């Protein structure tokens, strides 16, 4: 009797008769079919007894049967090989055939029939693999049918099949498919692999054709990996070319200070003939070498190691060629008074409160902010250079570039560097720029334009006024004066509130470590050129209406919002903030970064102080929110978020798709309360017809 019949009957005997299906009585005599082979064969052949199995049980028994037949085939092959070899010593070929035939006395007739069927049909070999059945209609892992449209599936590719075979001894036939949730970044998930091994035998019979396919797949996979290894050996550790191994935006930003789109845009400005293309270095790599030098401030030797350059002097020549190309093709388009006209600065780079506080709200006046910064250098062996670059203020040798920015922080020009001895303060540097008309600054400026400076420029105020410019500088206490007057204090506050952007611009340059460290004397002549290349570090914004901003912002339900804000309090405040801004005739707007469309900014009115507004920044991608920041005291929280951040996320991810949640009845309450400021003063014409007795009466009782 076969093993599966035995198992099925054994299970049925425990409960009922397999013929009449009546349950056995206590102490009733039970006859087992396994003791009567001929009767059992007759019953099953003529279908007088039906043995029903679960599909999983059937497959388990079927695999055991197939594996048992494979073992018999293997033993037959080994026995025949031994018998044939023993007949080769002086025995004729005809005698060998007789001896082979005599082996049937050792092997049963049934086993011989199985061997003949296996050898003629399957040509298989026994291997220690888990084998999956071939099917593309059901999932190879969980067994779900793909006939339902709600189940997403994917064909298991060659790389995953080979990886499963090499790492886990699992053979997956070509064309098999599985559900998408079984995949991970590196192939099938660990849970899926463990599920495949459940209820599977760790050995199977592989046909000759399948074995050839397995070997070919492994060969192709090894060839692919070998080619990648060879490519890595030929390429330097860092490769920024388009045809190289792709790097993430995070890696680009950390190494060069630019993301991939910004780097592509930068390289697009460079003429093809400006930089050579060699076997070991492309124009893009040349630009990247200089950017990494400026961003990280590493040594020439370190860069030679990263880019597989054998000579430090070659790296110096790379810097020279890259800086020359950028100064010629890129810098003039983005820096200097020739790259931007007055009207663009006034209309797009002048903040409204700067016009109101200092510019008399005149639409024709330009507002520029000037300030000097420092770049430290090595102590020179040249005595003259050492004296002319030593700063008594800082106590170190340095050079001083002059930064000129608009009131929104837009860098218009960076002039210099200048010497740093006692004769070269900010005032003298400004005089040099104005009287020599550096970069055509006096042609660009007009009379009555505003120049905002700090107290270090006091010695050039009269010179600037002689050119017709209005100079705004923090006030000084006069002799005998202990404090500022009210007007002087307000004027100083206005200037400080506006000119801080130039300090921010200088700080942004120092984020490039080349300028934050001591610069070698061999690179002094390049400081000015390098300083003027830092224009891409500025983010510009585009205002958009709330309904049109960030259309790809990830959608969230209320429960997901609660998990993000760690509670309901921020969401209640977010609803109030959002409703307040949307009720102002659609004045709720968002600003989107031009350089990075997945970064948005918005200004939120404080609920406690009418004069205070907070800037909120939220970077995101299509699947999730990457982070947030708010200028309020709690805006830098890393656990949860403040209510201002929550209001932005609440609206973009949830409320604009559910407008009914923004309806608040409390806004109608204000209509029933009188605003004392809502009145008009009486005009002179109101009392023309009145008599003298009542001419001074403004209000009367009715």
């Amino acid at each position: 009797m076969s093993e599966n019949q035995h198992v099925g009957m054994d299970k049925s005997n425990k409960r009922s008769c397999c013929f009449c299906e009546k349950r056995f009585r206590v102490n009733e005599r039970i006859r087992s079919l396994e003791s009567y082979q001929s009767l059992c064969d007759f019953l099953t052949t003529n279908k007088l007894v039906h043995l029903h199995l679960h599909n999983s049980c059937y497959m388990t028994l079927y695999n055991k049967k197939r594996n048992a037949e494979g073992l018999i085939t293997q033993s037959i092959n080994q026995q025949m090989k031994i018998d044939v070899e023993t007949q080769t010593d002086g025995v004729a070929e005809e005698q060998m055939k007789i001896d082979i035939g005599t082996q049937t006395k050792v092997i049963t007739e049934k086993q011989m029939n199985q061997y003949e069927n296996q050898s003629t049909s399957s040509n298989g070999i026994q291997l220690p693999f888990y084998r999956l059945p071939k099917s593309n209609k059901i999932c190879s892992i969980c067994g779900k049918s793909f006939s339902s449209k709600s189940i997403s599936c994917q064909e298991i590719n060659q790389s995953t099949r080979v990886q499963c075979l090499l790492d886990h001894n699992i053979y997956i036939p070509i064309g098999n498919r599985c559900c998408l949730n079984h995949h991970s970044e590196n192939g099938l998930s660990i849970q899926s692999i463990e599920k495949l091994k459940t209820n599977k035998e760790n050995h199977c019979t592989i046909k000759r054709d399948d074995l050839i396919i397995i070997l070919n797949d492994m060969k192709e996979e090894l060839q692919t990996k070998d080619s990648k290894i060879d490519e890595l050996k030929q390429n330097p550790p860092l490769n920024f070319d388009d045809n190289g191994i792709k790097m993430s935006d995070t890696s680009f930003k950390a190494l060069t200070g630019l993301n991939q789109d910004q780097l592509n845009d930068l390289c697009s400005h460079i003429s093809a003939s400006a930089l050579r293309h060699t076997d070991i270095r492309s124009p893009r790599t040349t630009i990247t070498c200089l950017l990494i030098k400026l961003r990280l401030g590493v040594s020439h030797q370190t860069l030679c190691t990263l880019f597989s350059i054998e000579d430090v002097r070659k790296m110096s020549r790379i810097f020279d060629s890259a800086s020359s190309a950028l100064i010629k093709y890129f810098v003039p388009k983005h820096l200097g008074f020739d790259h931007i006209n007055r009207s663009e600065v006034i209309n797009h780079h002048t903040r409204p409160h700067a016009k109101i506080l200092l510019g008399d709200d005149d639409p024709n006046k330009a507002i520029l902010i000037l300030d000097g910064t420092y770049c430290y250098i090595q102590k020179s062996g040249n005595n003259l250079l050492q004296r002319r670059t030593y700063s008594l203020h800082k106590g170190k040798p340095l050079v001083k570039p002059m930064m000129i920015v608009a009131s929104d922080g837009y860098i218009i020009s960076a002039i210099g560097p200048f010497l740093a001895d006692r004769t070269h303060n900010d005032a003298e540097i400004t005089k040099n720029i104005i009287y020599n008309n550096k970069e055509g600054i006096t042609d660009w400026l007009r009379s009555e334009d505003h120049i905002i400076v700090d107290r270090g420029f006091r010695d050039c105020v009269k010179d600037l006024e002689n050119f017709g410019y209005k100079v705004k500088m923090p006030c000084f206490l006069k002799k005998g004066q202990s404090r500022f007057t009210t007007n002087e204090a307000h004027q100083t506050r206005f200037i400080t509130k506006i000119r801080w952007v130039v300090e921010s611009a200088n700080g942004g340059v120092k984020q490039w470590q080349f300028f934050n460290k001591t610069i070698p004397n061999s690179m002094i002549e390049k400081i000015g050129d390098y300083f003027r290349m830092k224009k891409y570090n500025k983010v510009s914004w585009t205002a958009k209406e709330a309904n049109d901003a960030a259309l790809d912002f990830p959608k969230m339900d209320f429960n997901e919002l609660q998990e993000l804000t760690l509670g309901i309090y921020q969401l209640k405040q977010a609803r109030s903030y959002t409703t307040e801004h949307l009720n102002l005739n659609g004045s709720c707007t968002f600003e989107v970064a031009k350089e990075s469309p997945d970064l948005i900014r918005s200004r939120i009115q404080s609920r406690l102080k009418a004069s205070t507004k907070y800037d909120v920044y939220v970077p995101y991608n299509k699947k999730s929110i990457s982070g947030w920041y708010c200028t309020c005291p709690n805006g830098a929280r890393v656990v949860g978020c403040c209510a201002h951040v929550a209001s932005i996320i609440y609206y973009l991810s949830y409320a604009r798709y559910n407008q009914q949640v923004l309806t608040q009845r409390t806004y109608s309450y204000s209509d029933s309360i009188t605003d004392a400021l809502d009145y008009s003063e009486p005009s002179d014409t109101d009392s023309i017809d009145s008599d003298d007795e009542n001419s001074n009466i403004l209000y009367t009782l009715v």
Side-chain angles (χ1 to χ4, degrees):
M1 173 179 277
S2 62
E3 187 176 357
N4 58 349
Q5 289 177 331
H6 171 73
V7 173
M9 292 179 181
D10 185 54
K11 290 184 178 180
S12 63
N13 283 340
K14 293 180 181 179
R15 297 180 179 85
S16 60
C17 176
C18 63
F19 182 75
C20 66
E21 299 183 353
K22 293 182 179 179
R23 298 182 64 85
F24 295 118
R25 295 189 298 272
V26 180
N27 298 327
E28 183 181 6
R29 182 181 180 184
I30 300 174
R31 307 290 290 268
S32 177
L33 282 175
E34 62 183 359
S35 302
Y36 306 93
Q37 184 65 43
S38 59
L39 177 61
C40 181
D41 293 338
F42 171 80
L43 294 176
T44 54
T45 302
N46 294 277
K47 298 182 180 180
L48 298 176
V49 175
H50 301 282
L51 302 178
H52 303 286
L53 297 173
H54 295 290
N55 180 64
S56 58
C57 298
Y58 172 84
M59 294 303 300
T60 301
L61 296 175
Y62 178 83
N63 289 333
K64 287 185 177 181
K65 174 179 176 293
R66 185 176 60 183
N67 294 331
E69 292 174 352
L71 292 175
I72 294 174
T73 302
Q74 185 177 7
S75 63
I76 293 174
N77 291 337
Q78 293 176 350
Q79 184 66 32
M80 289 183 64
K81 182 178 180 181
I82 294 173
D83 292 337
V84 171
E85 289 177 352
T86 57
Q87 303 298 328
T88 56
D89 296 332
V91 181
E93 181 179 359
E94 194 172 326
Q95 182 64 31
M96 289 171 61
K97 294 180 179 179
I98 297 174
D99 291 336
I100 292 173
T102 58
Q103 301 302 321
T104 56
K105 297 179 180 179
V106 181
I107 304 171
T108 63
E109 183 177 357
K110 184 176 181 179
Q111 290 175 335
M112 192 62 188
N113 292 334
Q114 291 176 348
Y115 161 69
E116 291 176 354
N117 293 333
Q118 289 285 337
S119 60
T120 57
S121 60
S122 63
N123 296 325
I125 182 173
Q126 190 77 14
L127 294 175
F129 294 156
Y130 297 91
R131 178 179 179 135
L132 302 184
K134 182 176 179 61
S135 175
N136 59 359
K137 295 182 179 180
I138 62 173
C139 177
S140 299
I141 298 172
C142 62
K144 292 182 179 179
S145 175
F146 296 138
S147 59
S148 175
K149 296 182 179 179
S150 61
I151 301 178
S152 300
C153 62
Q154 179 179 337
E155 183 175 340
I156 304 175
N157 56 34
Q158 175 181 324
S159 178
T160 303
R161 292 174 48 249
V162 173
Q163 201 67 30
C164 288
L165 188 64
L166 295 177
D167 295 343
H168 307 286
N169 294 335
I170 298 176
Y171 172 62
I172 304 176
I174 297 176
N176 276 30
R177 296 190 291 173
C178 68
C179 303
L180 286 179
N181 57 1
H182 296 312
H183 283 271
S184 64
E185 295 181 359
N186 300 321
L188 296 180
S189 62
I190 300 299
Q191 296 82 358
S192 301
I193 296 296
E194 295 300 326
K195 194 168 185 176
L196 287 176
K197 294 181 179 180
T198 305
N199 298 327
K200 301 288 183 183
E201 296 291 342
N202 62 349
H203 57 271
C204 64
T205 301
I206 302 293
K207 294 182 180 180
R208 182 185 62 184
D209 295 339
D210 291 340
L211 183 60
I212 293 175
I213 293 174
I214 292 174
L215 295 177
N216 288 334
D217 290 345
M218 295 177 66
K219 179 181 177 181
E220 292 178 6
E221 191 71 16
L222 290 175
Q223 288 176 345
T224 302
K225 293 187 180 299
D226 286 341
S227 63
K228 290 183 178 180
I229 293 173
D230 293 338
E231 184 179 352
L232 290 174
K233 289 180 179 179
Q234 296 175 0
N235 292 329
L238 290 180
N239 190 347
F240 293 88
D241 291 333
D242 292 332
N243 57 355
I245 298 176
K246 295 295 184 181
M247 297 178 64
S248 64
D249 270 343
T250 303
S251 300
F252 263 80
K253 191 76 173 178
L255 294 174
T256 67
L258 310 178
N259 58 37
Q260 297 188 52
D261 293 335
Q262 290 173 335
L263 183 60
N264 293 336
D265 183 47
L266 176 63
C267 294
S268 66
H269 288 80
I270 309 301
S271 173
S273 60
L275 296 171
R276 292 190 307 162
H277 193 295
T278 65
D279 294 336
I280 61 173
R281 184 177 70 255
S282 65
R284 186 184 178 92
T285 302
T286 302
I287 299 296
T288 305
C289 286
L290 178 58
L291 291 176
I292 294 178
K293 174 68 177 181
L294 300 180
R295 179 66 174 176
L296 305 181
V298 294
S299 65
H300 285 33
Q301 185 59 55
T302 302
L303 287 173
C304 288
T305 303
L306 295 176
F307 286 93
S308 299
I309 305 297
E310 64 276 7
D311 190 0
V312 175
R313 288 175 294 182
K314 277 190 177 181
M315 185 59 67
S316 297
R317 291 195 292 271
I318 289 174
F319 292 156
D320 291 341
S321 59
S323 62
S324 299
L326 289 171
I327 290 297
K328 182 177 180 181
Y329 295 101
F330 175 76
V331 173
K333 298 178 181 178
H334 297 85
L335 200 69
F337 285 94
D338 291 334
H339 91 280
I340 190 170
N341 54 47
R342 283 171 45 84
S343 60
E344 187 173 353
V345 171
I346 294 172
N347 296 329
H348 301 290
H349 298 290
T350 302
R351 292 187 174 181
H353 69 266
K355 293 181 181 180
I356 296 172
L357 296 179
L358 298 180
D360 303 326
D361 206 12
D362 190 340
N364 298 319
K365 290 182 180 180
I367 300 176
L368 299 185
I369 307 172
L370 278 64
D371 191 29
T373 188
Y374 307 100
C375 293
Y376 297 106
I377 62 174
Q378 287 180 332
K379 182 179 179 180
S380 176
N382 185 304
N383 293 337
L384 177 61
L385 182 61
Q386 180 181 342
R387 289 195 305 271
R388 301 302 304 276
T389 58
Y390 185 79
S391 172
L392 293 174
H393 178 211
K394 296 295 184 179
K396 295 180 180 180
L398 54 88
V399 293
K400 301 177 68 173
M402 178 63 69
M403 188 76 78
I404 304 175
V405 304
S407 60
D408 68 340
Y410 182 85
I411 301 175
I412 298 175
S413 182
I415 303 176
F418 297 88
L419 297 172
D421 59 0
R422 61 184 180 83
T423 63
H424 285 79
N425 54 29
D426 289 342
E428 294 300 324
I429 293 174
T430 304
K431 290 180 183 180
N432 180 277
I433 294 173
I434 295 296
Y435 284 109
N436 292 322
N437 193 20
K438 292 289 184 69
E439 295 187 0
I441 183 173
T442 57
D443 300 329
W444 192 91
L445 290 169
R446 296 288 184 269
S447 179
E448 301 297 320
D449 283 346
H450 290 264
I451 306 295
I452 303 176
V453 295
D454 60 15
R455 294 186 178 94
F457 291 77
R458 59 185 177 274
D459 294 335
C460 70
V461 172
K462 291 183 179 180
D463 299 271
L464 293 173
E465 290 176 346
N466 290 337
F467 279 86
Y469 312 135
K470 288 187 176 181
V471 180
K472 301 294 184 179
M473 182 179 66
C475 300
F476 286 93
L477 288 174
K478 299 177 182 178
K479 188 175 182 179
Q481 187 180 10
S482 60
R483 60 181 180 180
F484 292 129
T485 64
T486 301
N487 290 335
E488 290 173 341
H490 287 332
Q491 186 72 10
T492 300
R493 292 190 185 99
F494 293 163
I495 294 170
T496 304
K497 185 175 181 61
I498 294 173
R499 73 169 301 278
W500 71 269
V501 295
V502 72
E503 303 292 351
S504 177
N506 290 333
V509 172
K510 295 300 178 66
Q511 295 296 319
W512 297 73
Q513 295 302 312
F514 175 83
F515 302 103
N516 200 34
K517 297 180 178 180
T518 300
I519 300 173
N521 287 336
S522 60
M523 305 190 74
I524 288 178
E525 60 182 0
K526 291 293 183 181
I527 292 177
D529 293 341
Y530 294 165
F531 201 86
R532 285 186 284 273
M533 294 176 189
K534 302 300 107 210
K535 194 60 182 292
Y536 258 113
N537 208 26
K538 179 67 179 175
V539 178
S540 55
W541 302 86
T542 302
K544 291 188 176 182
E545 291 296 328
N547 292 330
D548 299 328
L551 298 179
D552 57 344
F553 199 87
K555 294 183 180 180
M556 304 174 69
D557 57 30
F558 200 79
N559 292 331
E560 291 174 329
L561 287 172
Q562 277 190 276
E563 293 179 1
L564 184 69
T565 59
L566 300 181
I568 195 66
Y569 176 78
Q570 282 81 3
L571 290 179
K572 288 183 177 179
Q573 296 299 326
R575 183 187 178 198
S576 299
Y577 278 121
T578 303
T579 309
E580 175 187 0
H581 287 76
L582 288 179
N583 277 354
L584 299 178
N585 298 323
S587 64
C588 180
T589 59
F590 295 93
E591 293 179 323
V592 180
K594 290 182 179 180
E595 293 80 5
S596 181
D598 55 357
L599 175 63
I600 59 174
R601 179 178 73 175
S602 184
R603 179 160 291 184
I604 301 298
Q605 171 67 52
S606 171
R607 67 187 178 95
L608 302 176
K609 298 180 181 179
S611 60
T612 303
K613 293 184 178 181
Y614 300 114
D615 289 329
V616 179
Y617 301 85
V618 179
Y620 70 95
N621 55 52
K622 294 182 179 180
K623 295 182 179 180
S624 63
I625 298 169
S626 307
W628 52 75
Y629 179 76
C630 180
T631 56
C632 73
N634 294 323
R637 292 170 57 182
V638 294
V639 179
C641 62
C642 66
H644 310 109
V645 173
S647 65
I648 301 299
I649 300 175
Y650 173 78
Y651 176 77
L652 292 176
S653 65
Y654 177 73
R656 65 173 166 182
Y657 305 107
N658 304 274
Q659 292 290 333
Q660 67 277 6
V661 301
L662 298 177
T663 304
Q664 283 192 344
R665 184 184 175 189
T666 54
Y667 276 95
S668 63
Y669 295 162
S670 60
D671 298 336
S672 61
I673 304 173
T674 303
D675 186 356
L677 298 179
D678 186 13
Y679 66 89
S680 299
E681 294 185 0
S683 62
D684 295 338
T685 59
D686 294 337
S687 58
I688 292 177
D689 298 332
S690 62
D691 53 19
D692 295 338
E693 184 179 358
N694 296 327
S695 60
N696 294 324
I697 297 177
L698 299 180
Y699 304 96
T700 60
L701 296 176
V702 178

